[in-house]
């Protein structure tokens, strides 16, 4: 079975400071990894994904994420946080291997990011 | 291109009633998935449709069902509503069933069961 853990329910960061939102995953094979953001009363917006290749993935709105296979992590980062980045962030995984349940996206519980002016 | 649209955006129903939610995917997208989002359980996969066939189903009771039409539009139905069915129901579409493809989400339907 595949699973995702986002160890922090909330992350607070000052505007202009770097931000990190943590994600670790568990799959039987190799993963496809995704980050989504959700603003209040909105659906999820796709930010970036890791498929293969370079471990540092760049995405929308200046976000990037680093895939670390040995630590089974895929942390989301941004060099300089904006107040408008305040939202709920979700990490998600799919197992590349076939098998029951491997197609569905499995999400973490989400991390609420608050950027303080 | 227009994004994923869901109707209605808000619904209030009474216990025991049934409800049908609608989703129109992005033009050209053939895979449609449904998720339930609640504060306690987070995002949970309901089911996925492709080419009018249910391909995957999450761990939900049989009261939750869905279908997909030839134009890829999808509906989900919940019968005999319970208070615990109150949630945001999200529809997502994807170009194909390739696992590397991201899903694009609609704004959701907020269902309140009283």
């Amino acid at each position: 079975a595949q699973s995702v853990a986002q160890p922090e329910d909330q992350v607070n960061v000052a505007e202009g400071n770097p931000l990190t939102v943590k994600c670790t995953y568990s799959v039987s094979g190799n993963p496809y990894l995704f980050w989504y953001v959700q603003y209040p009363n909105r659906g999820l917006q796709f930010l970036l994904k890791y498929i293969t290749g370079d471990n540092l993935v760049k995405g929308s709105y200046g976000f990037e994420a680093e895939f670390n296979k040995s630590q089974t992590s895929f942390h989301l980062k941004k060099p300089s946080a904006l107040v408008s980045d305040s939202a709920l962030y979700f990490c998600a995984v799919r197992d590349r291997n076939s098998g029951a349940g491997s197609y569905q996206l499995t999400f973490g519980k989400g991390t609420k990011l608050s950027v303080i002016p | 291109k227009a994004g994923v649209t869901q109707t209605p955006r808000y619904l209030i129903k009474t216990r025991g009633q049934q409800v049908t939610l609608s989703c129109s995917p992005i033009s050209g997208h053939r895979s449609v998935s449904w998720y339930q989002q609640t504060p306690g359980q987070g995002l949970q996969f309901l089911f996925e449709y492709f080419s009018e066939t249910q391909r995957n189903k999450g761990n939900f009771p049989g009261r939750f069902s869905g279908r997909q039409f030839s134009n890829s539009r999808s509906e989900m139905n919940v019968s005999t509503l319970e208070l615990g069915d109150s949630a945001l129901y999200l529809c997502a579409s994807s170009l194909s069933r390739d696992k590397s493809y991201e899903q694009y989400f609609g704004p959701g339907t907020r269902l309140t069961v009283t």
Side-chain angles (χ1 to χ4, degrees):
Chain A
Q2 55 198 36
S3 65
V4 174
Q6 293 182 241
E8 300 156 318
D9 290 337
Q10 176 142 1
V11 170
N12 297 320
V13 64
E15 187 177 23
N17 282 3
L19 69 87
T20 299
V21 182
K22 295 179 181 177
C23 168
T24 58
Y25 66 90
S26 175
V27 294
S28 60
N30 291 310
Y32 292 119
L33 292 156
F34 305 81
W35 274 103
Y36 287 85
V37 60
Q38 186 177 34
Y39 297 97
N41 299 315
R42 303 279 294 275
L44 277 67
Q45 293 180 31
F46 168 72
L47 279 178
L48 51 80
K49 65 181 178 182
Y50 171 79
I51 302 174
T52 187
D54 194 348
N55 290 343
L56 185 64
V57 179
K58 294 188 184 297
S60 307
Y61 313 118
F63 284 94
E64 57 190 27
E66 187 167 11
F67 172 65
N68 187 317
K69 187 172 183 178
S70 63
Q71 298 185 4
T72 61
S73 67
F74 189 55
H75 301 331
L76 182 70
K77 300 180 180 184
K78 188 174 183 183
S80 179
L82 300 173
V83 172
S84 57
D85 293 330
S86 298
L88 191 55
Y89 289 81
F90 291 95
C91 182
V93 69
R94 277 198 186 113
D95 192 337
R96 288 175 190 249
N97 289 353
S98 59
S102 65
Y103 178 81
Q104 67 189 60
L105 266 179
T106 298
F107 287 87
K109 293 289 188 183
T111 299
K112 183 178 180 181
L113 173 69
S114 294
V115 181
I116 303 156
Chain B
K1 267 187 184 178
V4 178
T5 57
Q6 292 186 246
T7 56
R9 292 292 310 277
Y10 302 92
L11 265 179
I12 300 175
K13 291 286 187 179
T14 304
R15 269 180 304 175
Q17 288 185 316
Q18 74 162 18
V19 67
T20 298
L21 312 181
S22 181
C23 170
S24 292
I26 292 172
S27 177
H29 284 197
R30 297 173 61 196
S31 172
V32 174
S33 297
W34 289 88
Y35 296 85
Q36 181 195 65
Q37 185 178 21
T38 59
Q41 298 300 315
L43 279 154
Q44 293 186 286
F45 172 78
L46 279 157
F47 27 65
E48 178 235 347
Y49 286 87
F50 183 83
S51 293
E52 302 177 63
T53 302
Q54 188 180 92
R55 304 295 178 136
N56 286 282
K57 191 177 193 306
N59 190 24
F60 278 82
R63 301 185 297 108
F64 291 81
S65 63
R67 59 178 176 168
Q68 186 181 34
F69 302 94
S70 59
N71 62 357
S72 295
R73 190 177 70 85
S74 178
E75 290 181 346
M76 68 163 280
N77 183 277
V78 188
S79 62
T80 320
L81 283 166
E82 301 177 0
L83 293 178
D85 296 334
S86 294
L88 181 66
Y89 289 88
L90 293 164
C91 167
S93 75
S94 183
L95 193 59
S96 81
R97 301 198 74 237
D98 189 317
K99 289 182 185 180
S100 69
Y101 278 52
E102 60 273 20
Q103 294 182 342
Y104 291 88
F105 284 78
T109 294
R110 172 78 59 187
L111 172 63
T112 302
V113 182
T114 63

